[in-house]
Amino acid sequence: MTTAAVIRDDQFAVGAAWLDFDRDGRLDLFILNYVQWSPEHDPGCHDPSGRYPVYCHPKFFTGTASRLYRNLGGGKFDDVSQSSGIAAAIGKGMGVAVADYDADGYPDLFVTNDTEPNFLFHNLRDGKFAEVALDSGVALPDNGATVSGMGTDFRDYDNDGRPDIAFTALAGQTFLLFHNLGGGQFEDATHRSNLSRLTAKLSGWGIAISDLNNDGWKDLFAANSHVSDNIQLFSGDQYKQKNSIFLNRGSGNLIEAAANAVPGAARANRGAVVADFDGDGRLDAVVTALGERPDLLRNVAPGGHWIEFKLTGTRSNRDALGAVIHVQDSANRQQWNAMTSSTGYASSCLCPVHFGLGEQTEVTQAEILWPDGTRQLLRNLKAGKRLSVAEGSK
């Protein structure tokens, strides 16, 4: 139904995200584009010695704009890339994530760019976006060097109620973590969290900020592999790599999980989705790999209690995208998470919203802020359940 929906993006698209940017109750579509490339414009590149063919550095290609399509209803969309301001930002997009980072009730967009500064599209609430990454502190790491930003996730990792940003990059650059300070400002927390030390030799793609051991702190899962499939011919790097898990020990202090805790062999991993596929309350992962079948990685590690929310809006579960859930457990610990379908690199999942609870067996209060601004309060919820919650239900 692409033609009938009037979707006409013909660029080198890498990802997409659904969001209701104008809060009219209809989901709009953001399409993330990479560079201007065609078979006719492929310069052919080699390693430093000139002996081996390699993928060309992004500097050999011109960047392009992403696209935003407003949902008109009735299966029709309108290209508002120009009028919204999205088309004014020319980049080399690789990852996109959605969150309301300034808590004004309207969803914003974070975009990683390959070897260029990132974008943060702030929703101005009038159908327009302003690109504010540099002013907000997420365009570049503290050292000012551009990195090859890949997949990204946009969630609260330190339980302060503000969504933070994590994204993968390539070997020698480290993955990045930006802590949301509030007031529209972020700080580079990569070194403080240990993430720079843990990822200096990794090339990452998919990434998820999720509580993998149900202790009440969101961890990081990353799908890894080098870019060049022949890198071992002229470098000490390895093409195929294992996935990584970085456990959050509280307030964003990350440690690497033991090698035997991350299942699967080294592969050319790319996309990843983290969700509870078998319904046992532990978050599993699906990881795609180039030239191989996807891996379904079942989480069998011991962990704490948990609760999940499967949200349904006034018309469908799609109407719930953008809902934010704030829970308080029986020890008065608080957590925030949001429902989004966009995750990591070239991946998507319409998944329930998950919370690990550690030793606590009850959520004393859960507040759901729905995309239309409605607040819904639920009390005394038992752990170990996936709750289906419709907007306005008791």
Side-chain angles (χ1 to χ4, degrees), residues 37-51:
W37 176 91
S38 68
E40 295 74 31
H41 178 57
D42 191 353
C45 298
H46 293 79
D47 76 296
S49 72
R51 297 172 60 190

Side-chain angles (χ1 to χ4, degrees), residues 226-255:
H226 202 280
V227 175
S228 298
D229 56 3
N230 58 356
I231 188 66
Q232 291 158 243
L233 296 176
F234 54 90
S235 167
D237 293 322
Q238 299 293 313
Y239 172 51
K240 294 185 176 182
Q241 300 176 9
K242 292 194 66 174
N243 302 309
S244 296
I245 291 175
F246 305 110
L247 298 174
N248 187 344
R249 290 311 190 198
S251 299
N253 180 27
L254 302 173
I255 65 170

Side-chain angles (χ1 to χ4, degrees), residues 277-292:
F277 288 96
D278 56 359
D280 68 352
R282 292 173 288 198
L283 291 175
D284 314 296
V286 166
V287 182
T288 63
L290 300 181
E292 299 184 59

Side-chain angles (χ1 to χ4, degrees), residues 338-363:
M339 185 171 176
T340 175
S341 65
S342 181
T343 179
Y345 169 77
S347 302
S348 184
C349 181
L350 199 63
C351 305
V353 183
H354 182 95
F355 293 89
L357 300 175
E359 298 179 355
Q360 307 308 310
T361 60
E362 185 179 68
V363 168

Side-chain angles (χ1 to χ4, degrees), residues 306-307 309 326-330 355 357 360-367 378-383:
W306 58 277
I307 194 168
F309 297 85
H326 170 206
V327 302
Q328 179 175 304
D329 64 27
S330 45
F355 293 89
L357 300 175
Q360 307 308 310
T361 60
E362 185 179 68
V363 168
T364 55
Q365 181 173 296
E367 183 183 55
L378 306 173
R379 299 184 186 275
N380 302 323
L381 307 174
K382 297 298 181 183

Side-chain angles (χ1 to χ4, degrees), residues 18-30:
W18 291 105
L19 72 161
D20 183 5
F21 79 90
D22 53 0
R23 284 183 45 167
D24 65 354
R26 297 185 292 261
L27 288 178
D28 312 297
L29 178 62
F30 178 88

Side-chain angles (χ1 to χ4, degrees), residues 192-275:
R192 186 178 71 238
S193 67
N194 297 323
L195 192 61
S196 56
R197 177 180 60 83
L198 296 171
T199 62
K201 296 182 179 180
L202 297 176
S203 292
W205 300 83
I207 189 169
I209 305 175
S210 302
D211 190 349
L212 301 174
N213 56 4
N214 286 335
D215 66 350
W217 296 97
K218 297 181 188 68
D219 314 295
L220 291 183
F221 180 93
N224 304 319
S225 171
H226 202 280
V227 175
S228 298
D229 56 3
N230 58 356
I231 188 66
Q232 291 158 243
L233 296 176
F234 54 90
S235 167
D237 293 322
Q238 299 293 313
Y239 172 51
K240 294 185 176 182
Q241 300 176 9
K242 292 194 66 174
N243 302 309
S244 296
I245 291 175
F246 305 110
L247 298 174
N248 187 344
R249 290 311 190 198
S251 299
N253 180 27
L254 302 173
I255 65 170
E256 188 169 14
N260 60 3
V262 186
R267 306 194 315 158
N269 298 301
R270 288 297 186 269
V273 164
V274 170

Side-chain angles (χ1 to χ4, degrees), residues 44-385:
C45 298
H46 293 79
D47 76 296
S49 72
R51 297 172 60 190
Y52 304 105
V54 296
Y55 289 113
C56 291
H57 190 278
K59 68 183 179 182
F60 290 100
F61 302 98
T62 302
T64 188
S66 293
R67 307 290 280 271
L68 180 64
Y69 289 90
R70 181 171 180 261
N71 192 336
L72 301 177
K76 303 290 185 182
F77 289 80
D78 181 30
D79 187 344
V80 295
S81 307
Q82 294 289 342
S83 61
S84 67
I86 293 294
I90 304 299
K92 299 174 182 179
M94 291 296 284
V96 57
V98 181
D100 179 10
Y101 77 93
D102 57 348
D104 66 354
Y106 283 73
D108 310 294
L109 290 153
F110 176 75
V111 170
T112 59
N113 282 307
D114 192 356
T115 69
E116 294 190 354
N118 305 310
F119 296 148
L120 179 60
F121 292 109
H122 179 220
N123 194 330
L124 300 180
R125 299 180 290 177
D126 59 358
K128 293 180 170 57
F129 288 82
E131 201 291 288
V132 298
L134 188 61
D135 291 339
S136 297
V138 297
L140 299 164
D142 275 353
N143 63 12
T146 57
V147 300
S148 296
M150 298 294 162
T152 183
D153 204 359
F154 204 164
R155 299 179 191 270
D156 176 18
Y157 78 92
D158 60 346
N159 294 345
D160 66 357
R162 297 184 291 264
D164 311 291
I165 296 170
F167 63 93
T168 52
L170 301 185
Q173 299 173 346
T174 83
F175 302 173
L176 273 295
L177 180 64
F178 288 115
H179 175 232
N180 190 336
L181 298 172
Q185 296 297 303
F186 292 77
E187 64 174 345
D188 185 345
T190 307
H191 296 290
R192 186 178 71 238
S193 67
N194 297 323
L195 192 61
S196 56
R197 177 180 60 83
L198 296 171
T199 62
K201 296 182 179 180
L202 297 176
S203 292
W205 300 83
I207 189 169
I209 305 175
S210 302
D211 190 349
L212 301 174
N213 56 4
N214 286 335
D215 66 350
W217 296 97
K218 297 181 188 68
D219 314 295
L220 291 183
F221 180 93
N224 304 319
S225 171
H226 202 280
V227 175
S228 298
D229 56 3
N230 58 356
I231 188 66
Q232 291 158 243
L233 296 176
F234 54 90
S235 167
D237 293 322
Q238 299 293 313
Y239 172 51
K240 294 185 176 182
Q241 300 176 9
K242 292 194 66 174
N243 302 309
S244 296
I245 291 175
F246 305 110
L247 298 174
N248 187 344
R249 290 311 190 198
S251 299
N253 180 27
L254 302 173
I255 65 170
E256 188 169 14
N260 60 3
V262 186
R267 306 194 315 158
N269 298 301
R270 288 297 186 269
V273 164
V274 170
D276 180 11
F277 288 96
D278 56 359
D280 68 352
R282 292 173 288 198
L283 291 175
D284 314 296
V286 166
V287 182
T288 63
L290 300 181
E292 299 184 59
R293 296 178 65 182
D295 267 348
L296 173 56
L297 308 176
R298 185 178 179 225
N299 188 344
V300 296
H305 297 285
W306 58 277
I307 194 168
E308 285 191 345
F309 297 85
K310 185 177 181 180
L311 303 182
T312 305
T314 54
R315 290 176 293 180
S316 72
N317 62 342
R318 296 183 298 277
D319 299 330
L321 285 177
V324 177
I325 305 179
H326 170 206
V327 302
Q328 179 175 304
D329 64 27
S330 45
N332 294 323
R333 298 189 311 172
Q334 300 184 72
Q335 295 183 58
W336 287 259
N337 207 344
M339 185 171 176
T340 175
S341 65
S342 181
T343 179
Y345 169 77
S347 302
S348 184
C349 181
L350 199 63
C351 305
V353 183
H354 182 95
F355 293 89
L357 300 175
E359 298 179 355
Q360 307 308 310
T361 60
E362 185 179 68
V363 168
T364 55
Q365 181 173 296
E367 183 183 55
I368 304 172
L369 176 60
W370 294 90
D372 63 3
T374 301
R375 293 183 182 271
Q376 187 171 352
L377 198 62
L378 306 173
R379 299 184 186 275
N380 302 323
L381 307 174
K382 297 298 181 183
K385 294 182 178 181

